[in-house]
């Protein structure tokens, strides 16, 4: 009842005054609504143009071929005759590529991270050029680096390892530098007050703080590289990706499905183990 009386006390002048002070509280104006309609119409026209440009009608006209491939992929009647040893060795080669590339990148990125940290290197010019080197390494995708190294080193896992190493070095060096810059200054000052040298201060005051974070980041890159290494094999960098490319070229879709399942299981296992280790490093034993 009280609310009804108060609402009744509001006059048209009060509403007009509130509308003039807070016009958006009463809804968008007509020109704002018109502008929204223009934007929505433009978005729909652009979407329709994209569908026409890329001929999305083929998506429906080729569905019958897609279903043929799907039926071939689920037919594992010749499972016993496949070369399982070769496929498993290639899978192990892919995991090894990811591990070695990630390990080398982690080791090399450690000193580079200190060189790119503001609280370690006071020279802004030196840090600027150091960070740009990081950008060059990480600015190109691993696939591009793999194509370069395949051309230079030839087909095989060496090209894949080098591609992962170069790309991850730039990524990890940047992440390490940021972790070092966020280190607690109090612990660093405490070590320095004992008369420790600059190198010992970094070793005892900074590295113990950031090492768990660095290890976590390196493990995450290993997770990512276990997936990326498969793609690198498609361009000749060895591993299971090369076997997958071969099976696709000869239309052995049943073995393609088998390799995909094997990749998914391997990546899931690596992700699970890596997550457990990262949780233990960061959170500690509960």
């Amino acid at each position: 009842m009280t609310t009804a009386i108060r609402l009744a006390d509001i006059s048209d002048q009060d509403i007009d005054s509130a509308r003039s002070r807070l016009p958006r509280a009463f809804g968008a104006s007509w020109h704002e609504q018109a502008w929204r309609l223009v934007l929505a119409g433009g978005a729909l026209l652009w979407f329709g143009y994209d569908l026409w440009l890329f001929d999305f009608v083929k998506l429906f006209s080729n569905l019958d071929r897609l279903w043929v491939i799907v039926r071939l992929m689920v037919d594992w009647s010749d499972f016993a005759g496949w070369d399982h040893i070769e496929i498993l060795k290639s899978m192990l080669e892919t995991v090894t590529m990811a591990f070695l590339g990630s390990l080398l990148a982690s080791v090399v990125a450690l000193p580079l991270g200190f060189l790119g940290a503001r609280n370690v290197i006071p020279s802004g010019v030196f840090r600027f050029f150091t960070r740009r080197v990081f950008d060059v390494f990480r600015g190109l995708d691993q696939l591009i680096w793999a194509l370069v190294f395949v051309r230079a080193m030839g087909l095989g896992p060496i090209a894949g390892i080098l591609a992962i190493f170069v790309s991850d070095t730039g990524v990890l060096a940047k992440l390490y530098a940021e972790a070092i810059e966020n280190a607690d200054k109090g612990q660093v000052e405490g070590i320095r007050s004992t008369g420790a040298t600059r190198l010992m201060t970094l070793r005892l005051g900074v590295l113990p703080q950031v090492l768990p974070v660095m290890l976590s980041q390196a493990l995450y890159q290993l997770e990512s590289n276990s997936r990326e290494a498969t793609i690198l094999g498609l361009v000749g960098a060895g591993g299971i990706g090369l076997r997958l490319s071969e099976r696709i070229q000869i239309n052995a879709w049943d073995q393609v499905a088998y390799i995909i399942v094997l990749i998914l299981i391997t990546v899931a296992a690596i992700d699970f183990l890596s997550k457990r280790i990262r949780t233990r490093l960061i959170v500690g034993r509960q």
Side-chain angles (χ1 to χ4, degrees):
M1 185 66 179
T2 304
T3 304
I5 293 174
R6 289 177 179 175
L7 292 175
D9 292 339
I10 299 176
S11 64
D12 294 338
Q13 291 78 9
D14 295 330
I15 296 176
D16 293 337
S17 176
R19 190 190 302 274
S20 62
R21 288 184 290 105
L22 302 170
R24 299 188 64 86
F26 292 83
S29 61
W30 67 268
H31 58 274
E32 290 179 335
Q33 295 178 2
W35 181 244
R36 291 175 183 174
L37 289 174
V38 170
L39 290 177
L44 287 175
L45 288 174
W46 179 255
F47 180 70
Y49 172 74
D50 290 340
L51 293 179
W52 171 81
L53 180 65
F54 297 108
D55 197 10
F56 264 71
V57 178
K58 290 183 178 180
L59 178 65
F60 302 98
S61 61
N62 294 328
L63 280 178
D64 54 340
R65 297 171 58 187
L66 178 62
W67 285 117
V68 170
I69 293 176
V70 171
R71 287 195 297 270
L72 292 174
M73 292 180 76
V74 298
D75 181 12
W76 288 18
S77 57
D78 195 30
F79 180 79
W82 299 344
D83 192 349
H84 298 281
I85 301 299
E86 179 194 34
I87 295 176
L88 292 176
K89 286 174 64 177
S90 298
M91 189 71 250
L92 179 61
E93 188 176 84
T94 296
V95 175
T96 305
M97 284 168 50
F99 174 75
L100 289 178
S102 302
L103 178 62
L104 292 174
S106 302
V107 173
V108 174
L110 181 60
L112 293 178
F114 280 97
L115 293 177
R118 182 181 298 105
N119 54 344
V120 177
I121 302 297
S123 174
V125 175
F126 183 85
R127 286 200 320 273
F128 174 81
F129 285 105
T130 302
R131 291 294 187 100
R132 299 296 75 77
V133 172
F134 299 167
D135 293 340
V136 171
F137 287 164
R138 69 189 183 90
L140 293 178
D141 189 77
Q142 288 182 3
L143 190 62
I144 305 300
W145 285 114
L147 290 171
V148 172
F149 286 119
V150 165
R151 184 70 175 177
M153 311 294 295
L155 299 175
I158 295 298
I161 293 172
L162 291 176
I164 294 173
F165 163 65
V166 172
S167 178
D168 273 21
T169 296
V171 174
L172 290 175
K174 179 180 182 295
L175 295 175
Y176 288 176
E178 293 175 351
I180 292 168
E181 289 177 346
N182 293 322
D184 182 23
K185 297 180 180 178
Q187 184 172 335
V188 176
E189 293 296 332
I191 298 296
R192 186 177 298 158
S193 65
T194 63
T197 63
R198 184 172 180 80
L199 184 61
M200 290 302 296
T201 301
L202 296 176
R203 165 65 181 84
L204 300 176
V206 177
L207 188 59
Q209 296 187 60
V210 300
L211 188 59
V213 178
M214 290 179 172
L215 291 174
S216 175
Q217 291 166 341
L219 287 170
Y220 179 78
Q221 288 301 118
L222 175 60
E223 292 180 26
S224 177
N225 291 333
S226 63
R227 296 183 290 269
E228 291 293 334
T230 301
I231 306 301
L232 300 183
L234 295 175
V235 297
I240 195 66
L242 184 59
R243 303 292 169 245
L244 183 63
S245 177
E246 292 173 351
R247 268 58 177 189
I248 292 176
Q249 291 176 5
I250 63 175
N251 292 325
W253 296 108
D254 49 356
Q255 297 186 47
V256 168
Y258 171 61
I259 293 174
I260 291 175
V261 171
L262 186 62
I263 292 171
L264 293 176
I265 293 174
T266 304
V267 171
I270 293 175
D271 287 350
F272 175 78
L273 293 175
S274 178
K275 182 179 179 180
R276 293 292 298 270
I277 296 173
R278 285 190 289 114
T279 303
R280 181 63 60 89
L281 288 173
I282 296 177
V283 181
R285 183 173 298 179
Q286 299 294 327

